[in-house]
């Protein structure tokens, strides 16, 4: 039986990002992916939010996405939530279809020499103290230390791990499709007593159709006949719909895994949370799940950190997904076609026209306000480290470039050679630096200048110095394992 450190079930955006993170940490991994190629039948997600772009920038690959997409402001909560005044290198979202996002991620993962077993499914597993045996649809099995289910909303891994998936049942249902039409349709969005419908051109010359179904609870695979009927109901004609390349159904079901780990099995992305696509969050939080989990899993697999480091993955990411579920449920309520919901929409739109509410909601939608609860202290603690312009002994550099290798960094802004991390020198890069300007955080505003910061590989701040080194050895041990020198 072939043995690897980690098996990733599913090579969608989450699985690919996780594979990249683990490969950077030189962990032996394999992706098992059901699809024969990276091609997607439909375009699905429409883009990346600012924090995801920053995360990709941390690995030196943001330009690959930026060069193919179009920058845009974020829409949500009955208004456009501009972030152009946010203190980030990327104060925008990027319009780019999921099919391109996956292609670019897959290219990066290929450069990192990650093997992908395509055309095979994970069908089950059995785990014990020494490892996990993973069964595949071709009858073979693989052995690993950990299995990560990145296998989407209907996750086989989640079910086999017996992890509950509580949440709320659907209240609306849509058909979405990519088709050709024989007649010129009524382009754009239409609202009626049932909900929203839209017809728009997509890049390959086809038409993307979205219709709200009259009935909630249809579960079978949708067909061209279903789509034709729905179009006739709402538009009086099906415009001669034909040649679908994709027909799918989605609802506002909102569910979240009760826990993200059961022993040697972890969940990430849609396998851990599903929700309505309003606000375009799913792919984004999946990629960010992967970046939170990757370095932790790498350290545990290599034996530098104990297993309980993995518990911080659930502690940090579960609340983030929970608030996305809450936001999408609110978006569904705001989008209802009745007069009272419309009145509510008007009031919310007035509110988000004000600076403070706009910043709060845009901070959440863009992911730039993410705050992991690492205790009280400096505003930076548990938040993303801004991409400062640094001056170091090697010359000027952007802070974010220090994270390209996905290794922790201790930045010392105080006396040169301060902050001794010698006992962790095999794991942590330590750099004396200065920066110009003020330290400013999205939503929060200006923050006091720290004398040092300990930055995790995911770009979040694990410790902030205020002139002393108090708490630094504890933070180093907590996040990066016991020191090698006693
Ligand atoms: C209409 C629509 C619009 C959306 N718009 C947005 C948007 O604008 N922004 C956004 O962020 N998100 C959006 N989303 C959500 C986004 O598409 C998902 O959140 C995202 O694809 C999740 O990525 P994932 O890798 O976790 O799961 P998936 O993309 O579902 O990938 C799972 C992978 O696992 C494979 N797989 C499944 N089972 C197995 C198995 N047993 N063994 C091996 N492989 C398996 C699948 O083939 C697939 O490749 C939208 C979704 C829809 C439906």
């Amino acid at each position: 039986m072939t043995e690897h450190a980690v098996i990733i079930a599913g090579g969608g955006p989450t699985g690919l990002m996780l594979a990249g993170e683990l490969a950077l940490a030189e962990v032996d991994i394999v992706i098992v992916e059901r699809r024969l190629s990276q091609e997607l039948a439909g375009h699905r997600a429409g883009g990346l939010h600012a924090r995801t772009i920053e995360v990709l920038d941390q690995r030196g690959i943001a330009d690959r996405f930026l060069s193919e997409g179009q920058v845009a402001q974020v829409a949500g909560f009955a208004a456009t939530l501009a972030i152009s005044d946010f203190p980030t290198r990327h104060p925008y979202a990027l319009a780019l279809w999921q099919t391109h996002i996956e292609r670019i991620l897959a290219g990066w993962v290929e450069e990192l020499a990650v093997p992908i077993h395509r055309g095979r499914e994970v069908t089950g597993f059995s785990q014990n103290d020494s490892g996990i045996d993973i069964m595949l649809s071709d009858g073979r099995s693989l052995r690993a230390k950990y299995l990560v289910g990145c296998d989407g909303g209907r996750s086989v891994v989640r079910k086999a791990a017996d992890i509950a998936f509580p949440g709320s049942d659907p209240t609306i249902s849509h058909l979405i499709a990519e088709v050709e039409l024989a007649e010129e349709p009524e382009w754009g969005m239409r609202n009626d007593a049932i909900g929203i419908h839209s017809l728009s051109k997509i890049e390959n010359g086809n038409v993307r159709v979205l219709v709200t179904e009259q009935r909630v609870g249809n579960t079978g695979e949708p067909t061209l006949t279903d789509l034709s009927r729905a179009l006739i109901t709402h538009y009086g004609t099906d415009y001669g719909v034909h040649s679908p390349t994709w027909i799918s159904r989605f609802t506002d079901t909102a569910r979240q895994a009760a826990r993200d780990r059961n022993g040697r099995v972890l969940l990430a992305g849609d396998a851990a949370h599903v929700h309505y696509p309003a606000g375009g969050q799913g792919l984004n939080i999946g990629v960010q799940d992967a970046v939170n989990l990757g370095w932790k899993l790498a350290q545990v697999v290599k034996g530098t950190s104990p297993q309980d480091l993995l518990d911080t993955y659930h502690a940090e990411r579960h609340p983030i997904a929970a608030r996305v579920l809450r936001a999408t449920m609110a978006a569904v309520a705001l989008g209802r076609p009745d007069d009272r919901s419309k009145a509510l929409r008007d009031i919310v739109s007035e509110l988000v026209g004000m600076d403070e509410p706009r910043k709060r909601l845009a901070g959440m939608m863009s992911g730039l306000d993410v705050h992991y609860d690492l205790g009280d202290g400096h505003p930076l603690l548990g938040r993303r480290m801004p991409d400062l312009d640094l001056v170091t002994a090697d010359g000027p550099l952007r802070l974010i470039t220090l994270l390209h290798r996905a290794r922790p960094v201790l930045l010392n802004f105080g006396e040169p050679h301060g902050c001794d991390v010698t006992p962790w020198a095999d794991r942590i890069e330590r750099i004396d630096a200065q920066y110009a300007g003020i330290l400013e955080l999205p939503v929060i505003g200006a923050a006091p200048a720290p004398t040092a910061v300990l930055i995790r590989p995911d770009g979040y701040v694990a410790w902030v110095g205020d002139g002393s080194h108090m708490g630094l050895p504890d933070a180093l041990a907590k996040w990066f394992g016991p020191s090698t020198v006693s």
Side-chain angles (χ1 to χ4, degrees):
M1 190 187 301
T2 322
E3 195 157 342
H4 300 277
V6 177
I7 306 287
I8 298 173
T14 307
L16 291 170
M17 192 71 210
L18 180 64
E21 294 294 290
L22 289 166
L24 284 174
E26 297 175 355
V27 172
D28 169 26
I29 45 169
V30 158
I31 299 178
V32 179
E33 166 55 50
R34 176 164 61 196
R35 286 181 281 159
L36 286 168
S37 79
Q38 205 62 49
E39 290 282 305
L40 274 179
H43 283 68
R44 288 182 75 179
L48 301 174
H49 283 290
R51 180 59 190 151
T52 312
I53 302 170
E54 284 188 345
V55 154
L56 297 166
D57 214 359
Q58 285 177 181
R59 302 299 178 249
I61 56 171
D63 287 346
R64 303 180 188 194
F65 298 85
L66 292 170
S67 64
E68 291 201 28
Q70 284 195 316
V71 297
Q73 290 302 319
V74 182
F77 292 98
T80 298
L81 297 170
I83 59 164
S84 46
D85 57 345
F86 275 33
T88 162
R89 300 256 180 206
H90 305 290
Y92 41 73
L94 186 76
L96 183 65
W97 291 114
Q98 180 164 346
T99 182
H100 300 304
I101 296 170
E102 289 199 18
R103 171 177 47 76
I104 299 169
L105 278 175
W108 176 56
V109 163
E110 192 180 338
E111 285 164 25
L112 294 168
V114 175
I116 306 186
H117 293 341
R118 291 196 178 276
R120 267 167 257 179
E121 292 181 27
V122 169
T123 54
F125 60 81
S126 63
Q127 58 172 321
N128 58 31
D129 287 348
S130 61
I132 179 162
D133 294 320
I134 294 133
M135 277 76 86
L136 305 185
S137 50
D138 62 3
R140 282 190 280 178
S141 57
L142 298 169
R143 187 166 174 80
K145 288 186 180 145
Y146 285 91
L147 167 67
V148 189
C150 300
D151 52 342
R154 294 177 185 160
S155 173
V156 165
V157 173
R158 183 188 65 235
K159 289 170 193 157
D162 209 16
I163 294 177
F165 203 41
S168 65
D169 290 332
T171 64
I172 50 172
S173 178
H174 299 282
L175 292 181
I176 189 164
E178 289 171 17
V179 296
E180 290 179 42
L181 301 178
E183 301 158 25
E184 186 76 6
E186 173 192 319
W187 295 112
M189 192 108 88
R190 170 192 268 215
N191 270 292
D192 63 20
I194 304 294
I196 55 159
H197 320 284
S198 74
L199 292 155
S200 52
K201 286 184 187 158
I202 47 174
E203 55 188 19
N204 56 8
N206 284 3
V207 177
R208 187 183 237 214
V209 182
L210 176 86
V211 280
T212 306
E213 293 189 285
Q214 278 187 303
R215 194 176 147 260
V216 177
N218 296 321
T219 50
E221 283 301 312
T223 63
L224 186 60
T225 308
D226 296 330
L227 185 67
S228 163
R229 282 202 192 116
L231 280 168
I232 290 168
T233 302
H234 300 297
Y235 290 86
T237 169
D238 70 0
Y239 298 112
V241 63
H242 65 98
S243 309
T245 51
W246 181 50
I247 305 181
S248 185
R249 172 179 286 120
F250 68 91
T251 71
D252 62 337
T253 297
R255 296 190 176 275
Q256 190 173 12
R259 51 195 171 132
D260 293 331
R261 177 179 164 221
N262 182 358
R264 296 181 175 275
V265 181
L266 292 130
L267 302 176
D270 275 17
H273 35 72
V274 294
H275 52 80
Y276 194 63
Q281 299 284 306
L283 180 150
N284 285 269
I285 60 168
V287 166
Q288 290 172 48
D289 284 351
V291 174
N292 184 288
L293 176 61
W295 64 277
K296 295 174 181 173
L297 187 53
Q299 287 180 189
V300 171
V301 163
K302 289 175 164 180
T304 45
S305 291
Q307 274 201 25
D308 58 14
L309 181 65
L310 295 176
D311 296 336
T312 67
Y313 168 62
H314 174 93
E316 292 178 357
R317 292 306 296 172
H318 197 268
I320 300 298
R323 75 176 186 158
V324 166
L325 262 62
R326 194 179 68 133
T328 57
M329 288 167 87
V332 169
L334 279 176
R336 289 203 175 110
D338 62 281
D339 288 345
R340 284 164 185 78
S341 302
K342 184 176 176 313
L344 181 62
R345 208 155 52 233
D346 290 345
I347 290 173
V348 171
S349 137
E350 277 173 33
L351 268 177
V352 296
M354 298 174 195
D355 228 30
E356 188 66 28
R358 169 188 62 90
K359 282 188 177 163
R360 281 282 284 275
L361 290 174
M364 176 178 71
M365 302 287 278
S366 62
L368 291 171
D369 74 341
V370 166
H371 179 212
Y372 299 140
D373 183 7
L374 306 190
D376 298 332
H378 192 281
L380 265 180
L381 190 63
R383 290 198 164 85
R384 67 185 249 301
M385 185 66 200
D387 181 17
L388 302 172
D389 285 310
L390 300 177
V391 178
T392 69
D394 294 332
L397 55 81
R398 280 177 57 195
L399 184 147
I400 222 157
T401 60
L402 298 171
L403 293 168
H404 282 183
R405 292 192 303 145
R407 278 168 56 92
V409 177
L410 184 107
L411 271 181
N412 172 45
F413 299 120
E415 289 293 307
H417 313 298
C419 285
D420 182 19
V421 294
T422 309
W424 286 269
D426 58 333
R427 276 159 263 172
I428 290 162
E429 194 160 0
R430 190 206 151 285
I431 293 167
D432 290 327
Q434 302 297 324
Y435 67 92
I438 55 162
L439 184 67
E440 206 188 347
L441 301 177
V443 189
I444 306 257
T451 54
V453 281
L454 178 62
I455 310 168
R456 309 190 318 191
D458 59 359
Y460 289 84
V461 176
W463 172 85
V464 183
D466 60 359
S468 83
H469 302 158
M470 208 168 70
L472 179 58
D474 288 346
L476 286 163
K478 172 175 178 187
W479 294 110
F480 309 116
S483 70
T484 47
V485 182
S486 53

